Amino acid sequence: MNMIQAINSALDVLMDRDPDIVVMGEDVGYFGGVFRATAGLQAKYGKTRVFDTPISELGIIGVAVGMGAYGLRPVPEIQFADYIYPAFDQLVSEAARLRYRSAGEFTAPITVRSPFGGGIFGGQTHSQSPEGIFTHVSGLKTVIPSTPYDAKGLLIAAIEDNDPVIFFEPKRIYNGPFSGHYDRPAKNWSQHPDGEVPEDYYRIELGKARVVRRGADLTILAYGTMVHVAAGVIEEQGIDAELIDLRTLLPLDIETIEESVKKTGRCMVIHEATRTSGFGAELSALVQERCFYHLEAPVERVTGYDTPYPHSLEWAYFPGPVRIGEAIKKIMKD
C-alpha cells in the first residue's frame, strides 16, 4: 500500500469494528478527500458516519469536540495543515483542556488528520509544517508517520486514544519515499519494505520511536519526509549514523534518543518547519540537558528558514541533501 491507502485501510478497519467512529471534513464524503484518503468510506458506511462539512475549520473541530464529549470518536480532516489555524482555539481551549477542566468526567477522543509539509510546489498556503505549535499545548498528542506501515498502525492507536491527537500526514511521501533529490525519478512504496501493510487490524503504540538504522558516530533525529531524506544522505556519504524516526513528537520517546546520543556523542535534528521555536529547539534542549557530558560537538539543526514557504525557491527552502550533507561534515569535524 501507499500511505493514502494505508490511512484509508486504518479508517475502514476501525469503522467496521466501532460504530461510534465518524469521519468528517471538507469533501471527505462522496469525493473521498482531496488526496482520496477517505475514498469509498461513505458508500460503505453511509452519510451519517462519513459526511462533508462546510468550509469552516473552527466549526469542524468544535462539532468534533462536542461529539467526543457525548461518546463518539470523530476523525475530522483539515484538508491542509495550513488551514488548521482557525480551529486553534477549539483545539487548545476546548479539546486539550476538556479532561482536565471536567476532572475526568468528559474527554475529547478526537483524531485530527491533516496533510502537511512541502515538496509539492504548494507555496506558502499549502506547504506549512505547524507541528511545533501543537507540541506546546498540554493535553494534545502529536503524531507524524513516515511510512505506510506506520501510518496505519499509528492512526489506529490515535483513534483509539481517549485524548485528542493531531495526526499530521507528510503529503510529499503519500505515494512514495523521497530522498530530497527532486530532479531524480520518483519512487513508489511498492519498492519499499515499509509499503507492505497488513489489511487487518494492528496498532503501533504512541510514544515509541523507531531506530531506522544503527550507527556509532552520529545520531540523527527526524520525522515524516525528512526521515527518508536523511537516510539518503547517510547512504550517499557513507556515514555511520544512527537514524531515529520519532514517529510521535508528544509523547516523545526521550529514552531512545538519550541512549543513542550517549553512544554516538553527536546529535543532529532535521525538520522542514521554520527554525525559530521549531520542535528541533526542544529536542536540542532535551539532548543538552540529558546528554551534555557525552556530547563531543554542539547539537546541529537543519531546518526550514524563518520565512513563508516560497513557491519558486522551494528547493532552496527545503532541507535537502546539500544542506544536510554540509551539516554532517561540520558536526563530524567539531
Side-chain angles (χ1 to χ4, degrees), residues 158-175:
I159 295 172
E160 293 181 335
D161 198 286
N162 287 327
D163 288 309
V165 179
I166 310 297
F167 193 89
F168 284 126
E169 301 163 8
K171 54 185 177 286
R172 183 59 181 83
I173 56 173
Y174 265 153
N175 292 306

Side-chain angles (χ1 to χ4, degrees), residues 16 21 36 41 55 61-62 98 132 138 148 162-163 171 175 200 212 215 243 250 266 270-271 292 294 322:
D16 186 61
I21 295 173
R36 303 299 188 271
L41 296 179
I55 303 176
I61 301 303
L98 189 58
S138 302
N162 287 327
D163 288 309
K171 54 185 177 286
N175 292 306
D200 54 358
V212 178
L243 176 58
L250 280 181
R266 290 179 168 84
I270 306 173
H271 64 63
F292 180 78
H294 295 81
V322 173

Side-chain angles (χ1 to χ4, degrees), residues 16-310:
D16 186 61
R17 292 164 63 103
D18 186 350
D20 289 333
I21 295 173
V22 297
V23 173
M24 55 193 289
E26 299 164 15
D27 298 320
V28 301
Y30 176 80
F31 191 62
V34 68
F35 292 103
R36 303 299 188 271
T38 56
L41 296 179
Q42 186 181 82
K44 185 172 182 179
Y45 296 103
K47 295 181 179 179
T48 60
R49 294 190 62 197
V50 183
F51 56 90
D52 296 328
T53 65
I55 303 176
S56 173
E57 290 78 16
L58 171 66
I60 293 170
I61 301 303
V63 169
V65 172
M67 286 179 164
Y70 276 89
L72 297 177
R73 288 187 179 274
V75 186
E77 177 187 296
I78 302 298
Q79 201 167 79
F80 289 90
D82 312 68
Y83 301 113
I84 202 169
Y85 304 116
F88 194 69
D89 180 56
Q90 290 294 321
L91 287 167
V92 174
S93 302
E94 306 300 336
R97 307 287 188 251
L98 189 58
R99 179 193 288 275
Y100 183 88
R101 72 193 297 182
S102 68
E105 184 175 355
F106 295 102
T107 59
I110 69 175
T111 299
V112 183
R113 293 184 41 253
S114 191
F116 89 122
I120 64 167
F121 288 101
Q124 63 179 348
T125 58
H126 293 81
S127 302
Q128 296 176 60
S129 299
E131 67 274 10
I133 297 174
F134 294 99
T135 61
H136 186 69
V137 180
S138 302
L140 292 180
K141 297 179 180 180
T142 306
V143 180
I144 302 176
S146 69
T147 68
Y149 182 85
D150 281 4
K152 180 173 180 177
L154 290 169
L155 182 56
I156 287 174
I159 295 172
E160 293 181 335
D161 198 286
N162 287 327
D163 288 309
V165 179
I166 310 297
F167 193 89
F168 284 126
E169 301 163 8
K171 54 185 177 286
R172 183 59 181 83
I173 56 173
Y174 265 153
N175 292 306
F178 179 55
S179 68
H181 292 286
Y182 60 90
D183 52 350
R184 295 182 182 178
K187 296 182 179 180
N188 59 61
W189 284 112
S190 64
Q191 303 168 335
H192 196 284
D194 287 321
E196 297 182 10
V197 180
E199 294 185 0
D200 54 358
Y201 175 96
Y202 69 93
R203 57 178 287 151
I204 296 173
E205 183 181 355
L206 303 185
K208 296 295 183 182
R210 177 173 70 110
V211 180
V212 178
R213 74 180 304 277
R214 299 286 179 180
D217 295 340
L218 168 65
T219 298
I220 297 180
L221 308 178
Y223 50 88
T225 301
M226 304 317 300
V227 171
H228 302 280
V229 179
V233 176
I234 291 170
E235 183 177 353
E236 290 173 4
Q237 292 208 357
I239 301 296
D240 188 21
E242 185 151 291
L243 176 58
I244 297 176
D245 176 2
L246 298 182
R247 282 176 164 168
T248 64
L249 307 189
L250 280 181
L252 179 68
D253 187 356
I254 188 61
E255 290 79 14
T256 295
I257 295 172
E258 186 176 356
E259 179 183 356
S260 178
V261 174
K262 286 182 177 179
K263 177 181 67 175
T264 65
R266 290 179 168 84
C267 182
M268 175 182 295
V269 182
I270 306 173
H271 64 63
E272 197 177 340
T274 52
R275 183 180 181 87
T276 300
S277 300
F279 193 65
E282 176 67 17
L283 291 171
S284 298
L286 287 170
V287 169
Q288 187 272 340
E289 290 169 1
R290 292 168 173 261
C291 308
F292 180 78
Y293 291 107
H294 295 81
L295 288 172
E296 299 179 21
V299 178
E300 188 74 19
R301 283 185 288 164
V302 185
T303 70
Y305 294 113
D306 291 337
T307 68
Y309 210 118

